Amino acid sequence: MSRFLEKLNDSQKEAVEYLDGPLLILAGAGSGKTRVLTYKMAYLLEQNVVKPWQILAITFTNKAAKEMKSRVLDLVENDAGSIWLGTFHSICVRILKRDIEVLGYSKDFNILDELDKEKVIKDIVKKLNLDDKKYPSGLISYEISRSKDSLKDSRQFLEENKGDYRKEQIAEIYRIYEQTLKNNNSIDFDDIIMLTVKLFLQNPDILSEYQNKFKYILIDEYQDTNKIQFLLISLLASAHGNICVVGDESQSIYGWRGADISNILNFEKEFPGAKIIKLEENYRSTQNILNAANEVIKNNSNKIDKKLWTKNDSGSKIQYFSADNEYAEVDYIVDKIDSICRKEGAKYSEFAVLFRTNAQARVLEEVFMKTGTPYRLIGGLKFYSRKEIKDLTAYLKLIQNQNDNVSLKRIINEPKRGIGDTTVENLEIMANEKGISIFEFIKDSNNLIGLRSSGNIIGFRDTILELISLKDKLTVSDLMKNILKLSGYEAMLNEEKNLESETRFENLMEFIGVALEFEKESAENTLSDFLESIALVSDVDKLDEGTEAVTLMTMHSAKGLEFDTVFIVGMEEGLFPSKRSIEEDERTEEERRLCYVAITRAKKHVYITNATKRTLYGSTSYTIPSRFISEIPSHLYDEEVSSRVKQNINKVQSFLNKEYERSNSVASRIDASVKIAPKASTNKFGLSVDSFLKNVQGQTGTANTSLVDASSYKVGMKIKHKKFGVGIIEKIEQEGDDYKVEIKFETFGLKRLMANNTPLEIL
């Protein structure tokens, strides 16, 4: 028996040993999926199934990839060093570094971050004389990202949106954006996977090479994959079919950024003959916490049945507090943290406060600062988004790639050199006329004759040329030190002599520290590799687990982490679940999955809080407790608060009843208008009235469920309702052409509903 199987439970062992064809490992929260993945790689190597370089393993964060590689190395020592293990983006960059020339780029391409991307878009909008309020860079960036995720370039985007003037303008912005990046020999974050897929589709020989190379493919967090990631995986796995994916549809929380839950729900359909193994034993949380999570998630319809359990103690009950306002809510949290620290000797780092939206962080920070409670906010101003870090990065990018006009325009007058915006615009126009980059244009002094700032431009050019000459002679950290000195950036900060300049200098020293760490870990230690590493880093990757402070973060950022005690704040209808999600079943289900993720971050204690009155986005309003509070049965709460929970259940039921009656009223009015209109008639969009009704009903909560003939209902029958969940029919009374049906729902109690207006699924 393999030495790797001794420490695994039966389900984990089965997952590790299964090697024949597609495998879906449904891994519930805290069920040891990382251990299964690492042991599976070690097992593949121990059993000589594949060589290390024939394994492709993909995770969603650099932190997870680093941890996984370290674990595999501990198990099989040097044998694992050449495994291809990283994020989707880091793996694809590795492929592009080798083959991107086929697509018309050179190998020294730069990667634009989101801020640079929006800056380029803003410049294009300005050049096209468009109103930046009608064409905001954030919206256009989103449209471009979604298009690239669907493998659509600007031409295809235009074809799909012909006749829509605004979308046609966005298509033109997209076209110029594509051309600008190509001219700069730059790609953005979305290009990384899209260009890799294009590389494979347009070059079957290159695809075949990688298909034959990777004999075994493992994907972590499969529920978070999007369409283009699925396509990439399918292309690579199609030759051997040995694909193992690990995921949990109950933790699919990134639909808003393109993640497609159907990838995991339809795995068997997409990969025929696939085996499914469920990991349901949880090693993280107490049973009470797991029971609460199980009870919440069971209300979703798009799920695969599984139930978390543990050998751990039942643990403490769920705690709940309803505050008068958001300040009282945070006061309660701070008091509880201090109390637990005093009584149990807990550390601040063992606590996390999770919130739904970043706007909630302001009050949290304010109260934590006032009380002196140490905290760290994840998701604030990111380190790599700070001005001084972006400036130094732009110098590095220009040294690496002299076609990068975006980086050049950022630093040509930073620090101030007397080179104004108008001069830079003129330089770009003249360079474009010659079909060359701005730096290539200013390299020829003859091109600068007659320009007022020519001397300053030449000074900047000569500094960059000197730094380029040092690129291959110095380490990245030493090159950074030279940039700060030769550019005058360090002198500028020293001259300012204020707290802000000191902080900026300290940040730059920290950045050089990042380079030093990179040099320790990287074998090649090239500027290109360093720029790639910082382009792909995420905020959570930098989370210092040793910091003695309470962690404040969004629920989305908390995924994959764990803490002894978790506070879930702002549990109110309209905030969590969010206002935008309430009217769409699909979005509400994703919010519920987010609640499941938040609860299962806790190992020992869960505190749920809300405020009866909250000021948010400049508006004060009275709130209704979140439906998720009432989806946790009252017996799972502490006895002192269970009565308040029951009161909240009544409030939530009343609110949901009104919302449902309102939606049924809308559907009924539309239905009445349809009965008058001829069945074959169409509206101005070319839809038949029946189709139009279905579309509208889809927005009011009656879509996606077939309406059964009411005469089929029987007393005692088990049914399912979209909003109220599972129930038993207790009474049926005929009223004219309709039936009044009394149903006892498991969560919402007794309801009286009219059958013709009510979608019920017979179970």
Side-chain angles (χ1 to χ4, degrees):
M1 180 179 178
S2 169
R3 62 191 174 93
F4 299 128
L5 304 179
E6 296 170 2
K7 297 179 181 179
L8 304 178
N9 65 37
D10 290 342
S11 297
Q12 291 173 334
K13 196 181 299 180
E14 183 184 8
V16 168
E17 288 185 300
Y18 187 82
L19 304 176
D20 303 318
L23 170 64
L24 168 59
I25 303 173
L26 281 170
S31 61
K33 69 179 179 65
T34 303
R35 168 174 283 195
V36 170
L37 278 174
T38 52
Y39 275 56
K40 192 170 186 71
M41 283 185 270
Y43 185 76
L44 285 166
L45 297 176
E46 182 202 51
Q47 300 297 311
N48 293 318
V49 177
V50 290
K51 300 297 182 186
W53 57 87
Q54 295 175 319
I55 297 175
L56 172 64
I58 298 178
T59 67
F60 265 78
T61 67
N62 296 296
K63 183 179 179 183
K66 190 174 180 181
E67 178 187 346
M68 202 174 290
K69 192 152 196 173
S70 175
R71 288 196 193 184
V72 178
L73 283 168
D74 286 344
L75 291 171
V76 292
E77 298 177 350
N78 295 330
D79 288 347
S82 52
I83 290 176
W84 278 53
L85 201 164
T87 64
F88 273 100
H89 290 92
S90 65
I91 293 295
C92 287
V93 165
R94 189 171 175 181
I95 293 169
L96 291 174
K97 286 283 184 183
R98 178 189 163 188
D99 294 307
I100 198 170
E101 288 175 332
V102 176
L103 299 175
Y105 296 80
S106 65
K107 292 180 181 179
D108 60 352
F109 62 87
N110 284 340
I111 302 170
L112 263 68
D113 64 21
E114 194 61 29
L115 291 176
D116 286 337
K117 177 182 178 182
E118 291 198 15
K119 176 67 170 63
V120 172
I121 290 169
K122 283 178 183 176
D123 288 346
I124 296 169
V125 169
K126 184 180 177 182
K127 286 174 184 175
L128 291 174
N129 294 316
L130 296 171
D131 185 345
D132 59 5
K133 290 178 181 173
K134 291 183 179 178
Y135 299 92
S137 57
L139 171 67
I140 295 165
S141 175
Y142 175 83
E143 290 277 13
I144 292 173
S145 292
R146 294 288 74 81
S147 294
K148 289 183 177 182
D149 282 348
S150 300
L151 209 63
K152 296 170 186 170
D153 57 21
S154 59
R155 179 183 54 79
Q156 291 164 306
F157 183 88
L158 177 61
E159 286 176 1
E160 286 187 2
N161 294 285
K162 276 186 176 174
D164 183 330
Y165 176 78
R166 190 160 180 270
K167 288 286 182 76
E168 287 179 346
Q169 292 301 310
I170 293 174
E172 178 62 7
I173 296 168
Y174 185 8
R175 185 190 68 78
I176 298 173
Y177 175 78
E178 283 178 318
Q179 193 57 52
T180 301
L181 263 61
K182 196 77 177 284
N183 292 342
N184 279 255
N185 193 38
S186 296
I187 64 176
D188 65 23
F189 211 65
D190 301 305
D191 284 324
I192 294 173
I193 299 178
M194 185 191 75
L195 289 176
T196 305
V197 171
K198 279 192 171 182
L199 177 74
F200 288 157
L201 292 175
Q202 295 173 10
N203 301 274
D205 55 328
I206 295 176
L207 172 60
S208 178
E209 184 181 343
Y210 283 101
Q211 286 174 332
N212 292 325
K213 176 183 179 61
F214 299 130
K215 298 286 194 298
Y216 220 98
I217 298 173
L218 301 97
I219 315 291
D220 193 12
E221 304 287 5
Y222 190 67
Q223 76 280 345
D224 294 332
T225 54
N226 59 25
K227 287 182 174 65
I228 199 163
Q229 289 165 342
F230 169 76
L231 178 56
L232 175 73
I233 294 163
S234 300
L235 287 170
L236 289 171
S238 59
H240 296 285
N242 290 323
I243 178 169
C244 168
V245 305
V246 183
D248 179 7
E249 86 292 342
S250 295
Q251 296 186 70
S252 179
I253 59 174
Y254 296 115
W256 51 276
R257 70 182 189 196
D260 190 348
I261 193 174
S262 67
N263 287 349
I264 191 167
L265 294 175
N266 297 333
F267 185 81
E268 287 179 283
K269 180 181 175 183
E270 301 295 345
F271 296 95
K275 184 176 180 63
I276 296 180
I277 298 173
K278 297 179 184 179
L279 305 183
E280 297 171 295
E281 182 178 357
N282 177 284
Y283 293 91
R284 175 190 301 154
S285 308
T286 63
Q287 190 61 55
N288 276 328
I289 290 172
L290 298 181
N291 288 343
N294 286 333
E295 289 292 331
V296 169
I297 203 64
K298 79 177 187 181
N299 291 283
N300 272 4
S301 55
N302 282 323
K303 67 180 189 298
I304 303 170
D305 287 335
K306 60 182 178 303
K307 196 168 186 178
L308 294 178
W309 62 276
T310 184
K311 292 176 183 175
N312 297 336
D313 295 336
S314 57
S316 60
K317 298 288 185 75
I318 308 299
Q319 299 290 320
Y320 168 65
F321 180 73
S322 183
D324 292 335
N325 56 53
E326 65 271 22
Y327 284 95
E329 180 184 38
V330 185
D331 284 338
Y332 167 81
I333 292 167
V334 169
D335 287 345
K336 278 294 175 185
I337 290 172
D338 287 342
S339 174
I340 295 171
C341 286
R342 284 196 312 271
K343 291 178 181 177
E344 301 179 16
K347 297 177 180 178
Y348 286 118
S349 57
E350 295 168 354
F351 296 86
V353 182
L354 308 183
F355 44 89
R356 176 63 183 84
T357 175
N358 281 310
Q360 294 169 260
R362 181 188 63 80
V363 174
L364 282 163
E365 281 200 276
E366 195 176 318
V367 176
F368 270 73
M369 280 192 286
K370 280 182 180 177
T371 58
T373 306
Y375 73 92
R376 54 181 175 176
L377 176 65
I378 306 301
L381 179 59
K382 296 180 181 179
F383 180 76
Y384 291 100
S385 298
R386 297 180 187 275
K387 181 184 183 305
E388 60 275 10
I389 304 303
K390 285 190 66 61
D391 287 344
L392 183 48
T393 301
Y395 272 100
L396 292 170
K397 284 184 172 182
L398 183 60
I399 292 165
Q400 172 66 20
N401 169 21
Q402 288 84 63
N403 288 324
D404 189 349
N405 286 348
V406 175
S407 294
L408 181 142
K409 288 192 288 183
R410 181 179 183 91
I411 58 172
I412 193 169
N413 200 39
E414 190 62 54
K416 302 298 180 191
R417 298 185 176 90
I419 306 173
D421 290 344
T422 303
T423 300
V424 177
E425 286 176 13
N426 289 333
L427 287 174
E428 185 169 24
I429 290 168
M430 290 185 285
N432 287 341
E433 288 173 352
K434 288 179 174 282
I436 56 177
S437 70
I438 298 175
F439 191 79
E440 193 66 28
F441 181 82
I442 66 176
K443 274 173 70 175
D444 186 348
S445 299
N446 292 325
N447 291 331
L448 306 178
I449 295 171
L451 287 177
R452 183 184 298 177
S453 306
S454 60
N456 298 333
I457 296 168
I458 289 170
F460 168 75
R461 176 199 69 188
D462 291 346
T463 298
I464 298 300
L465 287 172
E466 183 176 355
L467 290 166
I468 291 170
S469 71
L470 296 173
K471 182 185 80 162
D472 296 326
K473 300 174 185 175
L474 301 176
T475 61
V476 176
S477 58
D478 284 338
L479 180 62
M480 292 163 81
K481 293 173 188 174
N482 275 271
I483 290 171
L484 294 178
K485 284 187 169 61
L486 295 176
S487 68
Y489 208 101
E490 185 176 340
M492 173 190 72
L493 293 177
N494 287 334
E495 285 170 13
E496 290 175 357
K497 292 183 180 177
N498 56 41
L499 183 59
E500 183 185 352
S501 62
E502 287 177 16
T503 302
R504 292 176 66 192
F505 184 76
E506 288 170 0
N507 288 336
L508 288 167
M509 293 304 101
E510 176 69 18
F511 193 22
I512 291 173
V514 171
L516 287 167
E517 284 298 312
F518 165 78
E519 289 159 12
K520 286 180 189 175
E521 296 176 6
S522 174
E524 296 184 17
N525 187 22
T526 66
L527 176 57
S528 174
D529 290 334
F530 177 70
L531 288 172
E532 175 193 323
S533 71
I534 62 173
L536 300 177
V537 78
S538 72
D539 213 28
V540 175
D541 287 331
K542 305 191 298 298
L543 185 61
D544 181 4
E545 294 175 353
T547 303
E548 260 318 301
V550 178
T551 301
L552 312 180
M553 67 200 312
T554 65
M555 298 171 200
H556 284 97
S557 297
K559 188 165 172 291
L561 304 177
E562 59 182 42
F563 303 88
D564 279 3
T565 302
V566 169
F567 291 84
I568 307 173
V569 305
M571 291 283 275
E572 299 139 25
E573 289 291 310
L575 182 55
F576 188 48
S578 68
K579 188 175 181 180
R580 293 176 68 182
S581 75
I582 287 173
E583 294 183 357
E584 295 181 32
D585 289 341
E586 232 174 77
R587 285 194 177 188
T588 302
E589 292 212 350
E590 181 157 317
E591 293 282 291
R592 188 173 283 110
R593 293 194 292 268
L594 187 57
C595 184
Y596 172 89
V597 166
I599 293 170
T600 54
R601 297 313 92 201
K603 294 193 277 188
K604 297 178 181 177
H605 309 290
V606 171
Y607 288 79
I608 290 173
T609 67
N610 63 4
T612 56
K613 183 176 72 174
R614 183 179 298 276
T615 301
L616 198 65
Y617 308 119
S619 175
T620 302
S621 57
Y622 287 91
T623 70
I624 296 168
S626 169
R627 67 191 69 189
F628 303 147
I629 295 174
S630 60
E631 288 177 356
I632 300 172
S634 58
H635 71 269
L636 291 176
Y637 287 97
D638 186 275
E639 287 181 14
E640 293 181 14
V641 300
S642 62
S643 61
R644 294 202 298 275
V645 172
K646 288 176 182 175
Q647 290 172 9
N648 280 337
I649 290 174
N650 294 331
K651 287 182 184 177
V652 176
Q653 281 181 338
S654 175
F655 170 73
L656 293 178
N657 284 343
K658 287 176 183 176
E659 285 295 299
Y660 182 70
E661 286 166 11
R662 181 185 63 79
S663 6
N664 269 345
S665 174
V666 172
S668 297
R669 290 198 300 273
I670 295 168
D671 190 41
S673 68
V674 170
K675 288 174 183 174
I676 297 169
K679 276 204 168 184
S681 66
T682 59
N683 59 31
K684 64 181 180 179
F685 300 107
L687 292 170
S688 70
V689 174
D690 286 343
S691 299
F692 179 68
L693 177 60
K694 286 178 184 175
N695 286 348
V696 177
Q697 287 180 330
Q699 298 167 19
T700 58
T702 61
N704 303 322
T705 304
S706 56
L707 288 171
V708 180
D709 180 0
S711 62
S712 302
Y713 299 144
K714 291 181 172 42
V715 173
M717 183 176 281
K718 192 174 184 180
I719 55 85
K720 185 174 184 181
H721 184 279
K722 271 285 188 181
K723 290 192 180 294
F724 301 138
V726 175
I728 302 292
I729 297 176
E730 293 195 346
K731 189 176 181 181
I732 303 172
E733 289 180 5
Q734 187 163 1
E735 284 196 5
D737 296 328
D738 205 351
Y739 290 85
K740 182 190 288 183
V741 187
E742 287 188 8
I743 306 168
K744 182 72 175 290
F745 290 98
E746 292 176 357
T747 303
F748 291 92
L750 189 66
K751 301 289 174 196
R752 294 178 180 85
L753 306 169
M754 299 309 294
N756 287 344
N757 285 332
T758 305
L760 298 175
E761 178 186 350
I762 297 174
L763 298 178

